[in-house]
Amino acid sequence: MAAQGITYTGLDALLTPENSVLLLIDHQGAQFAGMRSMDAGLVVSHVTALAKGAKVFDVPTILTTVVEDRGGRIIRQIQEVFPDQTPIDRTTINTWEDQRVVDAVAATGRRDIVMAGLWTDICLAWPAIHAIADGYRVFAVTDASGATSVEAHERGIQRMIQAGVIPTCSGTVIAEWQRDWAREETVPGLTEILLEHGGVFGTSLAWELQLLGLDKK
């Protein structure tokens, strides 16, 4: 059942840059070391694309780690997108039980939280279903997240869906933020993300730009 005031259908069900806040949870060395649900390189690429998308579309982004001195810093690829930002380092496994994170999200005034984290069934699922209860609409970016097994990843997604969390992927989020190619000011940044992180679409796009004489070389 949809929570009161949360929209799941129609145009208002889609994300906009103005209503979104991005929360990236525990993309650290120790977490990646235990991840077995997906190729780690793919998760790194997807979460980096998501971070870059937030930068292009001016979406407030909150970075968080858990026990950084033992679990490792947030991965360089994300930190380089936000070089001046210090991740919130927690002791709580559930990010949403750290009041600093809750306050940081609230301070943005946004009601749509886009979340990705390691691991899916714990560090992503717990705050996602917790934030839903606080009246937020939560989008879980599953290809920028991972768990210790395929089973754990899938059960985490299933649990979130049962609670009303909306599953999505990194490319989908960025496309929703763009929405209209007439919004030309963000097209160059989006194109760079697609070229670097778009997989086979990115290579095809590079080829097309070459044939059209629009590549940078």
Side-chain angles (χ1 to χ4, degrees):
M1 179 180 296
Q4 185 175 1
I6 294 181
T7 302
Y8 291 93
T9 59
L11 186 61
D12 288 341
L14 300 181
L15 288 164
T16 68
E18 295 76 20
N19 291 335
S20 300
V21 53
L22 177 62
L23 177 57
L24 298 181
I25 303 168
D26 304 350
H27 291 87
Q28 304 164 250
Q31 305 297 92
F32 273 105
M35 194 190 73
R36 296 293 183 272
S37 59
M38 188 190 301
D39 177 78
L42 285 175
V43 175
V44 170
S45 182
H46 294 154
V47 74
T48 304
L50 190 61
K52 290 179 178 179
K55 193 74 172 284
V56 167
F57 291 98
D58 199 26
V59 172
T61 301
I62 298 162
L63 311 178
T64 181
T65 55
V66 61
V67 195
E68 181 186 278
D69 61 342
R70 282 177 280 174
R73 299 184 184 92
I74 197 166
I75 58 172
R76 173 182 55 81
Q77 291 89 335
I78 296 175
Q79 189 67 75
E80 286 181 349
V81 179
F82 305 102
D84 299 325
Q85 186 172 157
T86 301
I88 298 172
D89 190 40
R90 320 175 322 275
T91 59
T92 60
I93 298 175
N94 176 9
T95 304
W96 209 251
E97 289 186 65
D98 190 304
Q99 193 61 43
R100 294 172 298 169
V101 177
V102 176
D103 291 345
V105 172
T108 69
R110 313 295 180 90
R111 302 306 297 178
D112 287 348
I113 309 177
V114 179
M115 287 190 191
L118 302 182
W119 296 320
T120 314
D121 54 320
I122 301 172
C123 303
L124 176 58
W126 295 3
I129 61 180
H130 195 163
I132 283 279
D134 285 348
Y136 289 91
R137 192 169 64 156
V138 179
F139 293 75
V141 189
T142 58
D143 68 345
S145 307
T148 54
S149 68
V150 173
E151 175 81 6
H153 182 68
E154 291 180 348
R155 294 295 78 73
I157 295 170
Q158 186 178 39
R159 184 180 185 185
M160 287 188 285
I161 291 173
Q162 289 174 334
V165 177
I166 302 163
T168 188
C169 292
S170 54
T172 308
V173 170
I174 296 169
E176 286 186 53
W177 286 338
Q178 177 65 41
R179 189 79 63 80
D180 188 343
W181 292 116
R183 298 170 180 170
E184 296 181 358
E185 68 277 4
T186 52
V187 170
L190 175 57
T191 300
E192 287 300 315
I193 293 171
L194 292 174
L195 288 170
E196 188 168 354
H197 302 283
V200 293
F201 178 76
T203 57
S204 298
L205 178 59
W207 183 29
E208 180 181 355
L209 293 175
Q210 176 192 335
L211 295 175
L212 294 172
L214 298 174
D215 60 329
K216 294 181 179 180
K217 293 185 179 180

